[in-house]
Amino acid sequence: MPVPGRPPAPPRRPAGRLRTALVLPLALLLALAWLPGRAAAADPADPAVSGGRLDWGIKQSFLSYVTGPVANGKWALTGGAATVGGSVFRFHSATGSYDPATGALSAAFQGGVRFTGHRENGTDALDLAVSRLTVRATANGSAALYADVSSKSRESGRTTSTGQARLADLSLSGVSLKHATGTITLSNAPATLTSAGASAFGGFYTAGTALDPLTFSVTLKTPAAAPSPTPTPTPTPTPAAPTPAPTATATTLTLDRGAFDWGVRRTFRDYVTGSIARGSWQLADGAADGGAFFRWTPARGTWAPTTRTLDAAFTGSVRFTGLHEGDTPGLDLTLANPRLTATGAAGHLTVDVSGRTPDGATRTPAPVEIATFDASALTTGNDLLTATDLPLTLTPAGASAFGHLYPAGTEMDPLTVNLPLTPTATVPPLPDLGASPPPVVTTPTAAATSSSPALLIAAAAAAAAVTTTVVVRRRRKH
């Protein structure tokens, strides 16, 4: 099938999505968290940016084109990238520099996404990958989005890779990033495709094309306090040797640390937070959010290397709610305390399931063998028993637990597990999403009495958001 010159124009959005389509002046959408204290100058050896997230849909008409009947393609996440609401990609773990005196900022985010389509004779004519997105704002107020790009030419079929190509120019008109501390959040920044970006997209779009606006939030490190005078050292008793963990017997190892990472299923998360269920999830009992997955810790159990027998139990829960009718959610499903067991190649994931499924069934808390996996893929290295992105297959009992949204045999999100086998082994860290973006000030009195210009901007943004909501509701009546 020949590759067309460019994707069709995006379809007109329904009224229910007008809120995201309405673009307010950027100055009204900037929210900065201003905390007491002075910001230190950027130090390359100690990056000023320590965590954060970037949310960007790239271009919705391009996503529709890739997955539509013409390209008949797909996209895949890499490097721990996630999705938000099904059509926006989230990149994580920002690092970089910031100069509070000038407002110059450089924040690089981890994760990527790859688009493929127009497959013929085992080859994708469309093959575009972007990763390591970086927002750079200069002292003079200009800003741009850069990324590592790999793309295939439509004409020659050759793939080229470019490091930190300038994909898009960002509009920061009327915005100053000077003298910020704590968290910097910029919402719905307009993005315009550059000539380099047009080449990266294989000529599907011309330079100057409006891309989806992007939102990012970065956490700035708190400057270190001035060192106090060094006191005269005094002898201290030698600490006792730490208790070995895990302990070993002739045939088994006792596990007392570790992490289990699992996103359940990306389409399920998108369904929960999307336009149908309009819901959310809540974490409890130590479960953590890794962006594209949830993390449960610690591991309690045993591993027998000779028989390859595993029993590892984790704690924590994630509760999915949505499909609300009044105050009652039609979906209220909790997955808690996962347990991995294996003997030889036969692996099983068991989860405590409770609540209400989308088909209206109510479940009392009970363990369910929700999925199976190939345990022969478990390997040892760096003093860890580990598996990365191990495929998971839904069982009949698991299909029932999800209200039969998915049939038995469905491929769920893969699992990753890291179980330390020595006291010094370490578990890979979670993606760093940074601090939560600061809340928008909604009380005009509070904003009026504050001397912080950021709070005044946030209050204006809140007022504009209310106006936008009113417009959307009025249009929905027609």
Side-chain angles (χ1 to χ4, degrees), residues 164-239:
Q164 292 300 283
R166 183 167 179 152
L167 282 187
D169 291 327
L170 305 178
S171 174
L172 299 186
S173 177
V175 171
S176 173
L177 300 180
K178 294 181 180 179
H179 308 301
T181 60
T183 300
I184 297 177
T185 297
L186 188 66
S187 298
N188 290 340
T192 303
L193 191 68
T194 64
S195 57
S199 298
F201 275 91
F204 282 117
Y205 300 101
T206 59
T209 299
L211 301 175
D212 283 7
L214 64 83
T215 293
F216 72 87
S217 176
V218 296
T219 299
L220 305 177
K221 283 186 178 179
T222 302
S228 56
T230 304
T232 302
T234 57
T236 56
T238 302

Side-chain angles (χ1 to χ4, degrees), residues 1-4 69-72 118-120 125:
M1 178 185 301
V3 182
V70 177
N72 196 26
H118 289 292
R119 192 167 186 83
E120 293 181 352

Side-chain angles (χ1 to χ4, degrees), residues 11 71 103 107 115 160 171 268-269 286 297 341 344 361 434 445 450:
F115 302 93
T160 59
S171 174
F268 180 70
R269 301 194 310 271
T297 57
T341 57
T445 302
S450 170

Side-chain angles (χ1 to χ4, degrees), residues 1-9 61-74 116-120 124-126 204:
M1 178 185 301
V3 182
R6 60 174 58 92
S61 61
F62 179 69
L63 270 62
S64 298
Y65 168 75
V66 169
T67 59
V70 177
N72 196 26
K74 60 184 179 180
T116 54
H118 289 292
R119 192 167 186 83
E120 293 181 352
D124 293 305
L126 167 65
F204 282 117

Side-chain angles (χ1 to χ4, degrees), residues 262-275:
W262 182 42
V264 183
R265 183 175 167 86
R266 181 188 59 78
T267 57
F268 180 70
R269 301 194 310 271
D270 293 344
Y271 163 75
V272 169
T273 60
S275 59

Side-chain angles (χ1 to χ4, degrees), residues 77-470:
L77 301 172
T78 61
T83 54
V84 183
S87 60
V88 175
F89 303 108
R90 171 165 289 178
F91 308 92
H92 61 89
S93 302
T95 58
S97 60
Y98 172 67
D99 183 352
T102 65
L105 171 72
S106 178
F109 301 82
Q110 301 302 307
V113 59
R114 181 183 180 187
F115 302 93
T116 54
H118 289 292
R119 192 167 186 83
E120 293 181 352
N121 301 321
T123 301
D124 293 305
L126 167 65
D127 193 340
L128 168 68
V130 294
S131 62
R132 204 160 66 91
L133 276 68
T134 302
V135 173
R136 295 178 187 167
T138 64
N140 64 11
S142 65
L145 178 68
Y146 297 78
D148 292 348
V149 179
S150 173
S151 62
K152 179 180 288 188
S153 168
R154 290 181 299 144
E155 289 76 18
S156 67
R158 289 182 295 183
T159 299
T160 59
S161 298
T162 305
Q164 292 300 283
R166 183 167 179 152
L167 282 187
D169 291 327
L170 305 178
S171 174
L172 299 186
S173 177
V175 171
S176 173
L177 300 180
K178 294 181 180 179
H179 308 301
T181 60
T183 300
I184 297 177
T185 297
L186 188 66
S187 298
N188 290 340
T192 303
L193 191 68
T194 64
S195 57
S199 298
F201 275 91
F204 282 117
Y205 300 101
T206 59
T209 299
L211 301 175
D212 283 7
L214 64 83
T215 293
F216 72 87
S217 176
V218 296
T219 299
L220 305 177
K221 283 186 178 179
T222 302
S228 56
T230 304
T232 302
T234 57
T236 56
T238 302
T243 303
T247 58
T249 67
T251 57
T252 64
L253 296 172
T254 300
L255 307 173
D256 66 357
R257 294 185 297 136
F260 168 60
D261 299 337
W262 182 42
V264 183
R265 183 175 167 86
R266 181 188 59 78
T267 57
F268 180 70
R269 301 194 310 271
D270 293 344
Y271 163 75
V272 169
T273 60
S275 59
I276 298 176
R278 298 182 181 274
S280 61
W281 59 72
Q282 301 82 40
L283 303 173
D285 302 324
D289 193 342
F293 58 84
F294 307 106
R295 170 168 286 189
W296 287 269
T297 57
R300 306 290 186 188
T302 58
W303 163 247
T306 54
T307 60
R308 295 188 62 83
T309 301
L310 172 67
D311 188 343
F314 306 83
T315 58
S317 67
V318 54
R319 178 186 179 192
F320 299 94
T321 57
L323 300 175
H324 283 79
E325 295 182 2
D327 295 332
T328 303
L331 166 67
D332 192 348
L333 182 66
T334 297
L335 306 179
N337 305 325
R339 180 181 179 185
L340 297 177
T341 57
T343 302
H348 309 273
L349 169 61
T350 301
V351 179
D352 292 345
V353 180
S354 61
R356 185 181 300 107
T357 58
D359 61 357
T362 300
R363 308 180 65 95
T364 57
V368 175
E369 185 185 292
I370 208 165
T372 58
F373 60 92
D374 181 5
S376 64
L378 290 167
T379 60
T380 55
N382 297 322
D383 297 327
L384 294 169
L385 175 66
T386 185
T388 301
D389 292 338
L390 188 59
L392 271 177
T393 303
L394 191 67
T395 64
S400 177
F402 282 97
H404 300 285
L405 282 175
Y406 313 104
T410 296
E411 183 178 339
M412 305 300 286
D413 271 15
L415 70 84
T416 293
V417 63
N418 288 279
L419 304 173
L421 301 178
T422 68
T424 57
T426 58
V427 173
L430 277 170
D432 189 346
L433 300 180
S436 297
V440 173
V441 176
T442 57
T443 306
T445 302
T449 57
S450 170
S451 61
S452 169
L455 296 182
L456 294 175
I457 294 171
V466 172
T467 303
T468 303
T469 303
V470 171

Side-chain angles (χ1 to χ4, degrees), residues 5-30:
R6 60 174 58 92
R12 185 174 182 179
R13 297 185 178 184
R17 299 181 64 188
L18 284 178
R19 182 185 302 181
T20 57
L22 294 173
V23 179
L24 299 173
L26 184 61
L28 299 180
L29 296 172
L30 179 68

